[in-house]
Amino acid sequence: MDALTLRRPDDWHLHLRDGAMLAAVLPATAAVMGRAIVMPNLVPPVVTTSQAAAYRARILALLPPGSRFQPLMTAYLTEDSDPDDLAAGHRDGVLTAVKLYPAGATTNSHAGVRDLSRVRRVLERLEALGMPLLVHGEVTTPEVDIFDREAVFLDTVLSPLLAEHTALRVVFEHATTAEAVAFVRAHRDRVGCTVTPQHLLANRNDMLVGGVRPHFYCLPVLKRARHQQALVQAVTSGEPSFFLGTDSAPHPVSAKESACGCAGCYTAPVALQLYAEVFDAHGALEKLEGFASLHGPAFYGLPVNPDRIRLVRGQDVVPSAVAVEGPAAELRPFLAGRALAWRVQAEG
Ligand code: NCD
Ligand code: ZN
């Protein structure tokens, strides 16, 4: 197969940031994706419906002319979140979902939730509305090894949470382990799961053998090869629980290439091409459309995108840098400079 036409995909987990960074990264996603679930971990975070509406307006104002890209907004769950405000945001079409960051789990998550019993009223409202809770699934207990934080979260946090809130619908974001794949399968009636390109293409050896490669560092951190294989098997199986979520998370090069580098891989300019590589390498190109374009809308109860895009086999290269106005200066995409086996063909 040298070309592939698919329904226009969506990105069900994306960091767009704000200001100059937003202006720099938005075009790459808007060129390929029909919609994206926009993460609320700005500084300060997007907590209320009115903050989400204002952020959405800033995104829409920066879209290239003629773009039909739709940002789907999320609210950052805090222990002070107001269930009535979130419900009104959902009713009015401002909010698609609510995002749970355990406090301290990742970039800009200090305002997150420490004690889940303090957000019980919000979770009950989400259940009643069928509004999804998007979960960064890692415990932050200092004693728990960073490579075990996802698996421990499933056992000690998410299992009891689903047992207590029997109608709660959850997206387990950026799964990184075989345990997460098994958990999602066991709860397929109400748990969906996003998988990033870096967790499909790489494992912790790629990040650490022969030198530390900061552009492979994201959270949840890359795991062993057997976990990578479990993720590849899950997404190429065609099971509707698994869908595309890049977790593209831009940070300035200076913040990544540092003695204490930030977590986050900037994948947006090449994400679909990288997913295509994974599906191609496993003889599963015919399963790419489900993962990229159909399973996500089905979980969220949204229509699939009306138009299609075309992927063609051919030489391309991951850009070595993306410019940002002002002091942030530039971004280094994941796998910068590496050859790409697929290209997204321009419309028309
Ligand atoms: C994300 C970011 O930089 O905002 N970083 C990451 O490593 N994935 C936050 C997140 O999704 O955990
Ligand atoms: Zn993320």
Side-chain angles (χ1 to χ4, degrees), residues 13-15 39 41 99 101 106 136 173-174 219 247-249:
H13 182 130
L14 176 67
H15 299 269
M39 287 296 130
N41 63 331
K99 174 75 189 229
Y101 289 103
T106 187
H136 182 111
E173 307 269 53
H174 41 47
L219 288 170
D247 194 18
S248 178

Side-chain angles (χ1 to χ4, degrees), residues 15 49 176 200 205 213 219 246 321 330:
H15 299 269
T49 294
T176 68
L200 295 170
N205 277 13
R213 293 184 186 73
L219 288 170
T246 63
E330 64 175 12

